[in-house]
Amino acid sequence: MKIAVLIKQVPDTEEGRHLTSDGRADRDASDRVIDEITERALEAALKQKDADKSVEITVVTMGPAAANEALRKALSMGADKAVHVQDDTLAGSDALATARALAQTLSGLQADLIVAGNESTDGRGGVVPAMIAELLNLPFLGPLGTLEVSGGTVRGSRADASGTTALRASTPAVISVAEAMGEARFPKFKGILAAKRKPVAVQGAAELGLGATDHAAGNLVLASAARPARTAGVKIIDEGQAAQELAAYLAAEKLI
């Protein structure tokens, strides 16, 4: 079985994040790391490889040259090879343009299962995996908290406010995982050394057959502003009426 895992390099969430003047995330304002949710997606794939050594895992990312660092870490965690979609003309791609480029790459990999995180910490769109599935004409399941793959079928469960839903589809398929999938493993020293020898293929827009209209952003940021500083919250001092005040506050905020 072949599994492709989409990973993304993002600004470190432990540091302050900033926007450039054109409304893009300023990726040089803080350290760059693999998005934690895509590490969980890789962990889901690695567990399949733990159970079946014949499983081959390819990690795929789209980004500037620095994104190679994220690929190398993914390889050190246990992935077999990597594909880096890198082209200056792809800079600033929106969700649809990103999905088109990744779909072109993934179509050539002929993976039985494509695994992604449900949403990135820098964009929070949560739509790219579903867009890729639509472009490739594949079933989409997500966001999943559990995963089982056997006999050409992928199964999982999705939790939401109304309960838990069991999902299944025939492979090939695209899935996205939620945080409930479990934390990723740490790279071992042997894996770090092995990652240096694993292949990383670089693909540009021309190699993917993308024309100017395929990877042109379909939206334009007209204005952006920093998030307002947090203000002090409401403090309730219990003098016998705290329960009533708390209930009134929650009702006013439409939390109950």
Side-chain angles (χ1 to χ4, degrees):
M1 180 171 66
K2 294 182 178 180
I3 302 178
V5 181
L6 299 178
I7 66 169
K8 187 176 184 182
Q9 187 182 63
V10 297
D12 192 344
T13 56
E14 296 296 324
E15 302 180 26
R17 287 177 287 178
H18 307 277
L19 297 175
T20 60
S21 58
D22 59 358
R24 301 181 189 177
D26 188 347
R27 302 187 181 281
D28 296 322
S30 60
D31 292 337
R32 296 178 291 266
V33 298
I34 295 183
D35 201 341
E36 182 185 358
I37 194 62
T38 59
E39 284 188 316
R40 292 174 186 255
L42 177 56
E43 178 63 26
L46 290 171
K47 286 180 178 176
Q48 301 302 314
K49 188 177 179 68
D50 291 342
D52 181 358
K53 298 303 180 184
S54 68
V55 171
E56 180 183 76
I57 299 175
T58 302
V59 287
V60 181
T61 197
M62 174 175 155
N68 182 264
E69 301 165 2
L71 290 175
R72 288 298 176 187
K73 182 177 180 183
L75 292 171
S76 71
M77 292 168 66
D80 299 294
K81 54 186 178 179
V83 178
H84 187 176
V85 180
Q86 178 188 346
D87 196 309
D88 289 343
T89 63
L90 297 173
S93 294
D94 60 13
L96 181 55
T98 299
R100 284 174 176 152
L102 291 173
Q104 284 294 99
T105 296
L106 293 165
S107 65
L109 297 180
Q110 296 183 327
D112 300 290
L113 188 65
I114 298 169
V115 189
N118 62 332
E119 62 178 6
S120 63
T121 55
D122 61 342
R124 296 290 186 187
V127 296
V128 170
M131 286 179 169
I132 290 173
E134 178 69 16
L135 292 168
L136 296 178
N137 195 28
L138 295 176
F140 171 68
L141 281 65
L144 302 180
T146 63
L147 175 65
E148 177 187 346
V149 186
S150 62
T153 301
V154 55
R155 296 179 175 85
S157 60
R158 177 180 65 208
D160 55 33
S162 61
T164 301
T165 305
L167 305 172
R168 69 176 181 179
S170 298
T171 57
V174 180
I175 69 168
S176 69
V177 305
E179 290 188 1
M181 187 60 69
E183 293 185 4
R185 65 193 66 186
F186 288 101
K188 296 180 179 179
F189 182 69
K190 182 178 179 181
I192 295 173
L193 294 178
K196 298 178 181 179
R197 301 188 297 271
K198 293 179 179 179
V200 177
V202 179
Q203 298 180 342
E207 294 171 275
L208 295 174
L210 296 173
T213 56
D214 292 318
H215 54 80
N219 55 50
L220 177 65
V221 177
L222 299 178
S224 62
R227 178 185 295 177
R230 295 184 65 178
T231 57
V234 176
K235 182 182 291 186
I236 296 176
I237 299 175
D238 189 4
E239 295 180 347
Q241 79 298 336
Q244 292 87 342
E245 290 187 26
L246 180 58
Y249 174 78
L250 294 175
E253 295 295 323
K254 298 183 180 180
L255 298 175
I256 59 173

